[in-house]
Amino acid sequence: NIAKITSSMKMVAAAKMRGDEARLAAGRLFGAIFHRLYTPPADFEGDESHAAPDVPNKTMLIVNSSDRGLCGGINSGVAKAGRLREGDIAAEGGEVSISL
């Protein structure tokens, strides 16, 4: 009986994975479009006379986690990665704020 339940759960997970892979493949087109849009041409030469003003070194980290069932490990990993990145930025002399 437990084997049947496990088998059913595996089939449901496989179906969800196929759906996720299909959505990922469909979304890659948009990524390619934005990559082409925001990447300067190879022969582009920037104008140095329009240099950016001196801007303070501030960074805002936006950390996203999940509220779906049994995601405690993922949420802990995301929070830990955010804290580590905050420490790296602060060690470089930057000002950091975190939004959860």
Side-chain angles (χ1 to χ4, degrees):
N1 196 11
I2 293 177
K4 287 182 181 179
I5 294 171
T6 303
S7 175
S8 297
M9 290 174 68
K10 285 181 183 180
M11 289 191 316
V12 169
K16 286 183 178 182
M17 184 69 159
R18 281 191 301 274
D20 290 342
E21 288 174 344
R23 285 187 291 279
L24 176 65
R28 287 189 184 185
L29 172 65
F30 293 105
I33 290 170
F34 283 113
H35 180 70
R36 279 195 351 239
L37 181 67
Y38 291 112
T39 302
D43 60 347
F44 177 76
E45 294 180 17
D47 185 7
E48 297 298 325
S49 65
H50 292 81
D54 194 21
V55 178
N57 188 9
K58 293 183 179 181
T59 303
M60 175 181 248
L61 294 177
I62 300 175
V63 181
N64 293 323
S65 61
S66 176
D67 63 351
R68 306 225 22 202
L70 301 176
C71 290
I74 293 171
N75 292 340
S76 296
V78 168
K80 182 178 179 181
R83 287 191 307 271
L84 290 173
R85 184 66 184 132
E86 176 189 20
D88 292 344
I89 294 170
E92 294 172 0
E95 182 180 333
V96 184
S97 61
I98 295 182
S99 177
L100 298 174

